[in-house]
Amino acid sequence: MAYQDRGIASHARSYGREEEVLEPQHYLPVLLRKPGAFARATPILKWPLSAVYEAYYRQLQERREGSGGTREYIRILMLLKDHPLQEVTVAVEQASNSGLYSYEVVKNFLGGKLAKKICEFPSVWPNGVDHFDLLVSR
């Protein structure tokens, strides 16, 4: 697809009868503005993502009011435009395993920022007053 001699989108061509070739990434910006349509969007329903994404989405919905969880999840899916599926999946898994649920957390795990910060903290369990110095000195 082109506009004024500039490519704006490319799509795989379907040669089968009544076959749809849908690119979920093309729908995400619209769904971000209209998150109520997300659950019924055919490209999203047919997107073969691993189960970790669905579980993370459920947690986001439980933690956010209204459509906030859906919007956060859509922003996470938009990371797949600029990052490989495997890397985003690992970031979602790390965030989930850490019990942290937000777009910013996944984005930070994807960039490696949060993973480094979490590893820097010493283990001070069981908590005691004498362990406070370990936390302050770092």
Side-chain angles (χ1 to χ4, degrees), residues 83-98:
H83 302 279
L85 175 64
Q86 183 177 355
E87 289 179 16
V88 176
T89 302
V90 167
V92 170
E93 288 171 346
Q94 288 175 320
S96 181
N97 291 338
S98 299

Side-chain angles (χ1 to χ4, degrees), residues 33-95:
R33 287 181 296 183
K34 300 198 176 264
F38 182 79
R40 300 178 313 278
T42 301
I44 303 305
L45 294 172
K46 292 185 176 185
W47 202 351
L49 295 172
S50 69
V52 70
Y53 285 91
E54 179 62 31
Y56 200 78
Y57 177 44
R58 281 194 307 273
Q59 291 296 321
L60 284 169
Q61 286 181 304
E62 288 178 17
R63 289 165 162 64
R64 304 280 191 284
E65 290 185 26
S67 59
T70 301
R71 281 194 171 97
E72 286 279 303
Y73 184 62
I74 292 169
R75 292 178 68 205
I76 290 167
L77 294 178
M78 291 174 85
L79 291 169
L80 292 166
K81 180 180 181 205
D82 299 319
H83 302 279
L85 175 64
Q86 183 177 355
E87 289 179 16
V88 176
T89 302
V90 167
V92 170
E93 288 171 346
Q94 288 175 320

Side-chain angles (χ1 to χ4, degrees), residues 97-111:
N97 291 338
S98 299
L100 303 170
Y101 297 93
S102 76
Y103 161 77
E104 290 298 329
V105 167
V106 173
K107 183 178 166 189
N108 284 329
F109 270 120
L110 189 58

